[in-house]
Amino acid sequence: MGTAGADEAALGVTLGRLEAWDDGHVPSLFPPGTGRMVVGQRRRDEIKGQLNVYEDVLPPALCREVYDYCCSQALPSWGTYVLKEHLVGPKATEPHPGVNAAGKQYYYGWKAAKALFVDRAGDFIGEDWAYVDGIAIWGLRSTRRNQVEYHIDYAELHRLETNVTQPPLFAGTLQVSPPNPDPNPYPDPNPNHDST
């Protein structure tokens, strides 16, 4: 696997190399045909292609708290970014639960990132922690029988600013919805539709 060259380093690419990439989307700040993607990112052979499932990552009370918070928000999505140094190492400390939206979102994001990526998947990530800067966390909700609304994630923002697509080294999802939420604070907007 190649190491980052001058062009890659200028764009913050520390793993892999840049190759031309055209999926038909061109950010408005860039001319057509200039898209690139980071390929050849380091992957340890023993973890390539693996999918891990962890049950009971968050305690039930915290799942309910996060679920209730997401349901209480005016927008269907929120996001935060948790730096690695806040999760592992000598500066790692649990943040205050927060008194405003940004503080609560960071607190819930930190709790989720620590529970999944440090406590459960930390050994799996192993030596690759050296290549992790932080973890983007999204709180997303939708109604029953509906999909999560569009939201811009960190990779998309990076692409809009640089025209470079960089896949994450690791990704995960936590489901915090109660198995049978009752009552549903966001009922089906079209309750008379045919469900067949």
Side-chain angles (χ1 to χ4, degrees), residues 1 41-51 124:
M1 304 212 177
Q41 291 188 91
R42 182 177 184 273
R43 294 283 197 272
R44 296 187 325 271
D45 286 340
E46 65 269 19
I47 67 169
K48 282 184 181 178
Q50 282 195 24
L51 169 70
F124 178 76

Side-chain angles (χ1 to χ4, degrees), residues 9-153:
L11 290 168
V13 176
T14 57
L15 293 174
R17 64 190 180 285
L18 288 171
E19 289 188 1
W21 172 257
D22 185 2
D23 62 355
H25 173 73
V26 180
S28 61
L29 298 176
F30 298 92
T34 60
R36 293 176 290 175
M37 177 182 263
V38 178
V39 298
Q41 291 188 91
R42 182 177 184 273
R43 294 283 197 272
R44 296 187 325 271
D45 286 340
E46 65 269 19
I47 67 169
K48 282 184 181 178
Q50 282 195 24
L51 169 70
N52 292 339
V53 176
Y54 303 102
E55 294 187 22
D56 303 321
V57 172
L58 295 177
L62 182 58
C63 283
R64 185 65 199 209
E65 190 177 333
V66 173
Y67 174 80
D68 289 344
Y69 177 78
C70 289
C71 290
S72 73
Q73 299 305 292
L75 296 175
S77 65
W78 56 266
T80 191
Y81 190 79
V82 181
L83 293 170
K84 174 182 72 174
E85 66 190 34
H86 294 172
L87 292 167
V88 296
K91 295 182 182 179
T93 57
E94 182 171 331
H96 183 273
V99 294
N100 60 21
K104 287 180 182 190
Q105 291 165 8
Y106 186 81
Y107 174 75
Y108 291 138
W110 185 93
K111 295 289 268 188
K114 182 168 184 322
L116 180 58
F117 290 99
V118 178
D119 298 342
R120 289 297 182 91
D123 289 341
F124 178 76
I125 295 170
E127 64 193 56
D128 288 331
W129 272 112
Y131 302 101
V132 174
D133 295 318
I135 299 172
I137 301 288
W138 294 98
L140 309 170
R141 73 161 192 257
S142 70
T143 58
R144 291 181 186 188
R145 298 182 192 96
N146 204 347
Q147 62 187 11
V148 171
E149 288 188 22
Y150 174 80
H151 61 286
I152 189 165
D153 65 23

